[in-house]
Amino acid sequence: MSDIAETTRQTTLEPGKGTSHGLPVAVLLEVTHRCPLQCPYCSNPVELDKPKAELSTEEWVRVLNEMADLGVLQVHFSGGEPMARKDIVELVQAATDAGLYSNLITSGVTLTRDKLEALADAGLCHVQISFQANDPVLANRVGGYRNGHAKKLEAARHTRAVGLPLTVNAVMHRQNLHELPDMIDMAVEMGAHRIEVANVQYYGWALKNRAALMPTMDQIEECNRVVAEAEERLKGVLAIDYVVPDYYAVRPKTCMGGWGRQFFNISPAGKVLPCHAAETITGLEFDSVRDHALGWIWDHSPALNLYRGTDWMPEPCRSCDFKEEDFGGCRCQAFALTGDAAATDPACSFSPHHEAVFKTAEDESATGDTRFIYRNLAGGTPEA
């Protein structure tokens, strides 16, 4: 995310909703689900949107202008792999013309110098590249893409060469947490401005690989130490964002700033979601930009209003002193672990499911399982 200051507003909802929500400051645009990588922790839906269902260039341009009218400040072009869209430069230009700050979230494996220069000329403001490890063999095995790590390093060099700021997205888990110190040093060496040390969150495809990804408690404690030391050592050099794994948490994270309060996601087919994983909650119907204006969806969509604010909360959330801070935690995680999206997030120590979830983490982290289940191997056989 950029350093643009957050602005909020209060909007009265329909009678009976009993709460309010703020300005949608940032939007994640999943312009496609196509991707050359096969990351076992992928948070995209198990059932991906087909290319023929994707919004057209003209539809995305209209939506970008509607976002600007709504008050959105930042757009994050993501996927899948956004570079799979042949019109990505045109979409970035449309965001620039609408006055939006734009960030490209990419695997980097198809990001050439020429394409980066075109994106920069179109007004792209920032690039975020994912890295699976510092060791090339491990990185390529995790990503399921032969020679992917070398291509990522090249893309990072090109990003800095054209003058764009760079964030390294380091997705951490049991099989690569030992590489964290080297990954932090790698980010410094490539001139990154920021690194996101993001422990895997278990939605979508990541649930299928949880036993192979779940870190041990000892690893998390070491990760905490490494991050704290690096924050002190690299102050003013590299900003570090740190996301701990929910299964070892005591308090739930404020997921996306609260359901439908400051953020939304648009799927490749145009569905407006409160977060990228919301379609994992079966039974919810999300409105599409093909059917409604974006402003109407933000204010009136039943799915976006369902878990807004605090009135929907059961006990113990309803009586919790922190309910206006964490807004109940993650609805997708509650559904994944309890079957009830309205349940207390099991990451919270007050949840009746908390101890069982913690035990699951301990048990699965001790399995020693290293096998990944990939969607497919379209990117080429990963190196052993």
Side-chain angles (χ1 to χ4, degrees), residues 9-22 298-300 305 308:
R9 70 171 184 178
Q10 295 298 313
T11 304
T12 302
L13 299 181
E14 297 174 352
K17 296 299 181 186
T19 187
S20 59
H21 56 277
W298 178 249
D299 285 336
H300 302 295
N305 281 321
R308 266 180 172 149

Side-chain angles (χ1 to χ4, degrees), residues 96-120:
T96 302
D97 293 342
L100 299 167
Y101 178 102
S102 59
N103 176 36
L104 180 72
I105 303 175
T106 175
S107 68
V109 298
T110 60
L111 192 57
T112 64
R113 173 69 179 261
D114 288 346
K115 186 65 75 171
L116 266 168
E117 289 178 346
L119 288 165

Side-chain angles (χ1 to χ4, degrees), residues 37-44 130-133 139 142-143 152 169-173 176 198-210 213 276 372-375:
L37 266 61
Q38 307 299 327
C39 301
Y41 50 73
C42 181
S43 59
N44 282 337
S130 63
F131 283 86
Q132 284 68 43
V142 174
K152 290 169 179 287
N169 181 26
V171 184
M172 310 307 297
H173 46 84
N176 71 352
N199 280 279
V200 168
Q201 307 296 305
Y202 297 100
Y203 318 113
W205 202 261
L207 275 175
K208 294 180 178 290
N209 287 287
R210 193 175 64 184
L213 295 167
H276 61 280
F372 291 139
I373 302 171
Y374 299 98
R375 290 183 190 268

Side-chain angles (χ1 to χ4, degrees), residues 285-305:
E285 294 292 332
F286 295 99
D287 290 296
S288 171
V289 296
R290 284 175 166 151
D291 302 321
H292 300 283
L294 196 55
W296 183 94
I297 295 174
W298 178 249
D299 285 336
H300 302 295
S301 168
L304 290 186
N305 281 321

Side-chain angles (χ1 to χ4, degrees), residues 314-335:
E315 295 292 354
C317 297
R318 183 179 291 271
S319 302
C320 182
D321 291 339
F322 300 105
K323 68 180 181 181
E324 297 284 353
E325 296 180 21
D326 59 38
F327 294 96
C330 180
R331 299 302 89 220
C332 301
Q333 183 158 266
F335 182 80

Side-chain angles (χ1 to χ4, degrees), residues 9 23 62-72 98 100 294-295:
R9 70 171 184 178
L23 178 78
R62 171 178 60 80
V63 169
L64 285 162
N65 282 288
E66 289 185 19
M67 284 190 288
D69 292 341
L70 189 58
V72 171
L100 299 167
L294 196 55

